Amino acid sequence: MKDPGFVTVDGRKIPIEGEANLLELIRKANIDIPTFCYHSELSVYGACRMCIVDLQGRGIVTSCSTAPEPGMVVKTNTEEVREMRRIALELLLANHDRSCPTCPKSGVCKLQDLARRFGIDDIRFQSTQPELPIDHSSPSLVRDPNKCILCGDCVRACSEIQGIGAIDFINRGSQVTVAPAFGKDLNAVECVHCGQCAAVCPTGALTPRSEIEDVWKSLGDPDKIVVAQIAPAVRVALGECFGMEPGTVAMGQIVAALKALGFDRVYDTCFAADLTVIEEGTEFIKRAEAGKRLPQFTSCCPAWVKFAEQYYPELLPNLSSCRSPQQMFGSLAKTVLPDELETDRRNIVVVSIMPCTAKKFEATRPEFSVGEVRDVDHVLTTQELARMIDGAGIRFTRLQPESLDLPLGFKTGAGVIFGNSGGVAEAVLRFAAEKLGGVKLQSADFPIVRGTEGVREATVAIGGQELKLAVVHGLANARKMAELAKHGQCPYQLIEVMACPGGCIGGAGQPIATEFDAKARRTESLYAVDKTLQLHKSQENPYVARAYETTLQEPGSEPAHHLLHTHYHSRKRIQDEDISLLDGGKAERVKVRVCVGTSCFVRGSQNLLRQVLDYVEEHGLSQRVDIGATFCLERCDRGPSVAVGDKVMEKCNLQMVVEALDQVLAQTEA
Amino acid sequence: MTQTIVDLDRSAREYNDAVKTATQRLIVCAGTGCVANGSLKVYEALKEQIAQAGLNVIVDLSVHDDADESVLLSKSGCQGFCQMGPLVTLEPDGILYTRVRAQDAAEIVQETLLHGRIVERLLYVDPNTREHCPRTEDITFYKRQSRTVLRQCGSVDPENIGEYIAKGGYSAARKAFTEMKPESVCEEVLHSGLRGRGGAGFPTGKKWDLTRVQPVEKKYVICNGDEGDPGAFMDRSVMEGNPHLLLEGIMIAARAIGADEAYIYVRAEYPLAVGRMRKAVADATALGILGDDVFGSGQTLTCHVMEGAGAFVCGEETALIASIQGQRGMPSPKPPFPAQSGLWGKPTVINNVETLATVPLIVNMGALEFRQRGTESSPGTKTFALTGHVANTGLIEVPFGTTLREVVFEIGGGVTDSTGGIDPEAFKAVQIGGPSGGCLTAEHLDLPLDFDSLRSVGAMVGSGGLVVMNKETCMVGMARFFMQFTQNESCGKCVLCREGTKQMLALLDNIVNGEATLETLDILQRLAVAVQKGSLCGLGKTAPNPVLSTLRYFRAEYEAHVIQKRCPAGQCKALVPMWIDPALCKGCTACARKCPVGAISGDKKQPHQIDPDVCIKCGACVAACKFNAIVGA
């Protein structure tokens, strides 16, 4: 074996083993180099200056951006380096909102941690920045620019992992802030609520919005029956908040804790996941047989759903019409539990415990309410539940385990693996393979869809056919699939999409990982849970079968559709911005819409609009023609664009409109 | 050898033909400074007057006529003596008329053009000898310079590619493409010892060679025309005055590294330079000098002119590259250097305007000849923008190794005081290198100016801005001024620069407002060092230089500000000592009686005085005075 080169770190020789930068190598040597802006899953930024080291011959360099070379001699802790780190920290603290005791990140904040580690006991600089308003607009996230240290991690996560870029740097120098476009609120821009920005944020600048107080209120209301559903990814991570190893399955204690908090029933989202498998699997088989609406994209990730609604509304028919397990649970629970628990539907409060911030947004979608009452009333992240447990003084690790309640607490292993990237695909395969193949599977495992790469593909032979699937995580990767599908070049029939790297176990509501392999261990643990259960295929879940018998009839039926499916809508443009300019007239008027979006406007569409209006008046057509201004027919470089009826014309002039109008009017007359 | 070479010679012939009847030439300076002073009006007036006088005037070279004699009237780039503009030069005698107004045109035509008589009142008068200087070469300002890169800058018409070619232009590029291999071009420039003129002074030949050897086919050349230093206009003058020289340098760089595409990045605040570069590229392309098969070599070269968008930080190479790529202009950590991974991730050479403009001269004269001027470690010449409290301000070019004394007192004509008159005792300091530079004091007057000697005293050549300061300059205020600039221009990416410059500015504000203590100086020093050592890019790394340099050489001045709360130069408004105007004081003693510390003295009916060492600036005297005789509160 070739002799690896060595880097001397503080006098010790450390071998170079493929590390991309000195920072990783030094950490391997068990020296925890401090950093704010370095993240192994994001591009190197080099802005926080905390990871500086003294490199012989080159002076002070940032270790995150310097590749290791054999023979380098590095000192990580010289007086100069210490002085510079101190000053950098003091500079950050000088303009930071130092209200630590009231900050949700207290105890897990990197700035707080490094200030303590470096013994900062005095801040010699002045506060120079005015206070900025906190953004509470989003149901999922709270944005506090006063706690931002401008490390840029959120910007890069949103841009590189999710391919969206809803937030970015604005202004220059000391006025720099991270904000959505045009200084708008987070909820007014293209944020899909995935929360990965909050997941990488080292301080309390971006945090999940807390619903703890709402839940306490419901728990304290004597008229309410409060039930919980627990997502798969939560059970292998919640323990981390109480010092347990990542991946420890603490389900028994979670149930006990919830009961101790006052929840009346504790159920399992995985039950609903089994239900999702059956509905989605059936849907997929139907589509595959008809050869229509393929590829089918999964729809359980609400961030992905919003992403598709925003950027690929033409692909919405390809999304599975199934609700997510969270929402299927809420809908079914509020339908069957009133009888079961002998109460009124309005008294049931469903609280879901999720690893996810987008679930908070999902629960607010109007499609998921009956009347004024939401199917899922509150969503708590893993972190929030931990805080509630802590707040109630419950000693989590010492709890005696308790079991989930029936019937909605029973699941198969297929439902549990939903928390991993590849889990939904595998669960669906376990269903479809038997359905299509007609034979019972020897082994329920489909390791081919497991893994960590952002884009994975698999070909599976089922029932004499070859099924091509893809599994992606990170929305930038989802975009690649969507582009293929949009241009009719997609070779896959089924595509699983998760917004969070690693799947739900990497969700923004999960505990901040202190171990570098926390995610991998959570993933492994979920597969292990699957193994320990007696049933692995959703179609074998007897309580799911009972739900069909009593309430849902069969997969894809009308009641199933009503309760368990949904529809989507385009969020691509400001909706309903047609401004009709002529009142009255027949109901069935021919619609003429002139685009007055900026590009068309610049090409003279407003003049054209006036000409068309004049023409219609002069020719007495206002009873038969409705003229309107509309926003964006999406032919921006070929404007002005005008739609007459269904026909959209580019580079339009009055004559073209008149001709098209004459044609349509002649037809309607006939 | 093909078409293009024939075209070059043809262009030269065409030009020479067009001007062959010109026995006299009037060159009106059309650099931005003179234009702002009305030189274009002078040009129009001259045109009219020449025609009225019955002389044949050539202004448009595409128009030929059959006159025997004519006067060629043209515009040039910056002629250098900006203080004395609008400037008009007359050839072939080399007469320089200064402060020319449109109404002088008639006299110039009548007297000088028709009768060969010099108009004395338009000549420069040497302030020391009191003599009128008819010719450029008689003027000390010009005599002591070595205008090499700027040689043609004040004479050729920057919008006429024909003139440039006729005077030998593009012959160096042709040589590089047809007679030299890329390695040899790099070698020649390496041997010449040419160092980057943008500030860092990196050996250009070495940079080119490092890029040349990258095993990637697509490569770029970028010309950095961002020139952000306030008060610097060297690059602007080259771009406005001799754009083809720059273009030729870019071509040679492209040949050296094997690039087929070049970007000329000019700051948007230089619209004239942008326009002239664009025209130069268009004209060169039309003639086949740029484009496919350059000089028959088989190589392609296209040039794009791109405008900046108002950010000083985009003069930093990686931020400039981000800007070209349409991203926010923020620098990236180096390594990787642009030579390995630059524009769009490809190997890129990025050079300063002056560096590239020097290259054709090197190729033509050879490395050895080039080394004849300058010093061992810094061969060649450097342009400087000489400004501030000096008699002759303008654009100069001197060989490296010229002393500061020579620049300020010989070429600059000496230091001026607040009245504008030359005062031999007025010299205090020279700020060299703009907001990134340090200051030089009287002890450095005999320091030869070059890269290494300046670095050894904590200063730097920088881009070439030289601001001369007299004794009425407050060095603390000067440091604060530059810090405010860099603070404004910081991109905000890295903690040390963004927060550090903000805090340094706050500390300097405290100092000039009399709110600081000795501890302030200590923390200012420590912070400055941290920012200098730890910032991500050159902006942050050099922003503390004015502070560190002034703390080093003018510590006493800082201490006066913090201990005595006094500004010795009398500039810092908050610290100006209280003063009784003797012209207004009636000697009524009201103020003396009110003063709580007994700082005011004076006899009855005689003007009183305030002792600044005792005064605590409470303002009680101001309130007491009925004659408004006390100033400075």
Side-chain angles (χ1 to χ4, degrees), chain A residues 507-546:
Chain A
Q510 295 282 62
I512 309 289
T514 45
E515 310 278 328
F516 72 93
D517 61 349
K519 274 206 247 190
R521 287 159 77 176
R522 294 174 194 163
T523 304
E524 207 186 301
S525 187
L526 276 181
Y527 286 124
V529 171
D530 170 33
K531 278 275 163 260
T532 61
L533 294 171
Q534 293 89 338
L535 300 171
H536 310 286
K537 290 170 258 171
S538 305
Q539 58 269 35
E540 291 171 352
N541 187 330
Y543 291 92
V544 167
R546 182 143 64 103

Side-chain angles (χ1 to χ4, degrees), chain A residues 131-296:
Chain A
E131 216 178 289
L132 292 167
I134 304 177
D135 181 354
H136 288 287
S137 65
S138 165
S140 306
L141 297 161
V142 178
R143 197 171 64 82
D144 186 350
N146 303 298
K147 295 182 181 167
C148 178
I149 57 169
L150 299 166
C151 67
D153 283 359
C154 56
V155 173
R156 276 152 37 246
C158 192
S159 162
E160 293 169 18
I161 297 180
Q162 308 300 42
I164 297 175
I167 47 177
D168 208 328
F169 291 108
I170 59 172
N171 302 331
R172 196 162 75 192
S174 60
Q175 306 303 312
V176 171
T177 333
V178 173
F182 308 114
K184 285 176 181 251
D185 281 338
L186 197 52
N187 212 33
V189 298
E190 289 156 31
C191 170
V192 296
H193 308 277
C194 74
Q196 283 304 305
C197 53
V200 296
C201 178
T203 65
L206 284 160
T207 48
R209 189 177 72 86
S210 171
E211 295 184 49
I212 294 178
E213 287 309 309
D214 297 325
V215 174
W216 275 127
K217 222 196 258 166
S218 293
L219 286 169
D221 187 337
D223 295 330
K224 300 288 186 201
I225 300 210
V226 187
V227 308
Q229 52 159 319
I230 308 173
V234 176
R235 66 205 63 194
V236 292
L238 184 66
E240 290 169 42
C241 297
F242 300 99
M244 293 175 165
E245 289 292 316
T248 310
V249 186
M251 197 55 165
Q253 281 125 322
I254 297 175
V255 178
L258 285 164
K259 292 272 172 79
L261 287 172
F263 282 80
D264 295 291
R265 296 283 189 278
V266 182
Y267 298 121
D268 200 333
T269 311
C270 301
F271 166 86
D274 277 334
L275 199 50
T276 307
V277 169
I278 294 177
E279 286 295 320
E280 191 156 348
T282 307
E283 179 189 28
F284 175 66
I285 290 170
K286 231 184 261 170
R287 289 196 197 178
E289 278 168 4
K292 289 219 178 103
R293 288 167 76 188
L294 292 177
Q296 173 166 321

